[in-house]
Amino acid sequence: TVLPGTTWLHTVSSANSQYQVMQQYLSDSQAFLTDYKTLAIYTEQIIQVGQVQLPPLLNDFNSFITSASTNNEAAFIAAEQQTSTDLQNFTNQVKSLKPSTDMQQYNKELLDDLSSMNSSLQSLQSAMQGNMSVNISDSLAVFQAAVDDFVNLLDSNPTANIQTNSMIHDQITILEGEHPLQ
């Protein structure tokens, strides 16, 4: 608290302005820590989801491809249904995550790829029930393209630009510039 009339003293004025700068720094620091915590939690959760969901999904893909090449319709339908179920489980877990601002684009692309694979499997199932060979080959092509996009996304490093071009990086730069004790 500043006593009335004391602001004309240099030390009181300096302390008051330093207090205001420190308050801004604390506010910015708290925002950074909240955003960083969200990033860390999302990164940890997406890794856990991948470790749990990817092995069965990759196994499903192999079964699906194997059953397609053997011309065994019952095995193909069973593999398609299992793949669709596991894709939906993966999608639901990714949807439940809360990505940080820096990871929202990655999360959106992941959901888009999963959704595209799932919808192509559903159209494949519809085509098989209707016995339309053109739709089956189109659905398989769409599925393959979605799988390729998915694999490319998994091979990417979504955190590569965080140290140079991200909201977290911008917040660190601001905090370094406004540090009141420097």
Side-chain angles (χ1 to χ4, degrees):
T1 303
V2 178
L3 295 174
T6 59
T7 56
W8 58 272
L9 294 173
H10 177 66
T11 55
V12 173
S13 176
S14 175
N16 188 34
S17 63
Q18 190 174 22
Y19 172 78
Q20 291 172 353
V21 168
M22 183 61 82
Q23 290 298 89
Q24 181 63 46
Y25 183 74
L26 287 173
S27 174
D28 291 347
S29 295
Q30 289 170 337
F32 165 74
L33 290 173
T34 300
D35 293 340
Y36 188 79
K37 181 179 178 183
T38 303
L39 174 67
I41 289 171
Y42 174 80
T43 303
E44 182 179 302
Q45 289 175 338
I46 197 71
I47 289 170
Q48 288 174 349
V49 167
Q51 289 173 341
V52 171
Q53 295 295 325
L54 274 178
L57 190 60
L58 294 175
N59 198 21
D60 291 343
F61 288 163
N62 288 334
S63 296
F64 183 70
I65 291 167
T66 303
S67 66
S69 65
T70 62
N71 293 330
N72 183 343
E73 186 177 339
F76 182 75
I77 291 172
E80 182 274 327
Q81 289 173 344
Q82 184 61 46
T83 303
S84 185
T85 299
D86 287 344
L87 268 171
Q88 192 59 50
N89 291 338
F90 197 160
T91 302
N92 290 340
Q93 286 197 356
V94 171
K95 281 182 181 177
S96 71
L97 300 178
K98 307 278 187 272
S100 69
T101 303
D102 293 326
M103 298 300 289
Q104 285 177 352
Q105 183 63 32
Y106 175 81
N107 199 69
K108 180 190 175 309
E109 289 174 10
L110 182 58
L111 286 171
D112 289 347
D113 289 344
L114 291 170
S115 175
S116 180
M117 284 188 285
N118 203 20
S119 65
S120 66
L121 283 176
Q122 290 173 356
S123 67
L124 180 65
Q125 187 176 32
S126 297
M128 295 226 14
Q129 291 169 349
N131 242 351
M132 293 177 266
S133 61
V134 173
N135 289 338
I136 291 173
S137 62
D138 289 347
S139 297
L140 283 173
V142 170
F143 179 75
Q144 185 61 49
V147 168
D148 292 344
D149 289 346
F150 179 69
V151 168
N152 288 337
L153 186 65
L154 292 180
D155 285 342
S156 70
N157 182 359
T159 60
N161 292 332
I162 288 180
Q163 292 183 355
T164 56
N165 185 20
S166 67
M167 187 181 81
I168 293 289
H169 177 263
D170 294 345
Q171 287 175 321
I172 291 171
T173 303
I174 289 169
L175 288 171
E176 287 173 342
E178 71 181 15
H179 194 289
L181 301 178
Q182 289 183 354

